[in-house]
Amino acid sequence: QVQLVESGGGLVQPGGSLRLSCAASGRFFGINVMAWYRQAPGKQRELVAAITSGGSTNYADSVKGRFTISRDNANNTVYLQMDSLKPEDTAVYSCNALIRIYSHAAGADYWAKGTLVTVSS
């Protein structure tokens, strides 16, 4: 069974940094795209950053220049380095991956449980 397990998150002061990690485990052929989403209280979920297996990245305008997404393909892990954090970054951050179980199959979405990031003094 494929699982995504996150680590990181917590409470940080404005201007501080946090690093989130998300590792995929189980039996599968490969991972196409890995991404981080977030959902703040009372708001819709939004894409924060995404990265392809080839390393191409995409960021939400609100985090460009402050957040960096990276991945370790050998260990099926994606990271989100968050710097210069602002109170408006407070949200539940969820890892997402488009995973191909078999080589001939299309990818399917998998989600981690989510981790709370709180930016407050």
Side-chain angles (χ1 to χ4, degrees):
Q1 185 174 355
V2 177
Q3 283 188 316
L4 295 179
V5 179
E6 297 165 330
S7 60
L11 174 64
V12 64
Q13 292 186 340
S17 298
L18 276 177
R19 190 191 196 207
L20 305 181
S21 301
C22 176
S25 63
R27 297 184 66 179
F28 51 86
F29 175 75
I31 305 176
N32 293 349
V33 181
M34 302 187 84
W36 290 95
Y37 287 77
R38 68 185 180 186
Q39 186 167 19
K43 295 187 177 181
Q44 288 189 329
R45 184 172 62 192
E46 63 172 349
L47 174 67
V48 176
I51 184 167
T52 67
S53 57
S56 296
T57 58
N58 181 42
Y59 294 92
D61 288 342
S62 60
V63 306
K64 282 181 181 177
R66 300 187 299 121
F67 290 11
T68 303
I69 190 170
S70 60
R71 67 189 277 179
D72 178 353
N73 289 330
N75 291 300
N76 299 312
T77 301
V78 64
Y79 305 95
L80 185 67
Q81 177 66 41
M82 304 184 291
D83 299 319
S84 303
L85 283 160
K86 304 175 181 179
E88 50 264 43
D89 293 318
T90 296
V92 174
Y93 285 71
S94 299
C95 170
N96 166 267
L98 187 64
I99 297 177
R100 297 169 64 191
I101 302 300
Y102 304 105
S103 61
H104 58 276
D109 269 328
Y110 289 83
W111 291 89
K113 289 183 179 180
T115 185
L116 178 62
V117 171
T118 303
V119 184
S120 175
S121 54

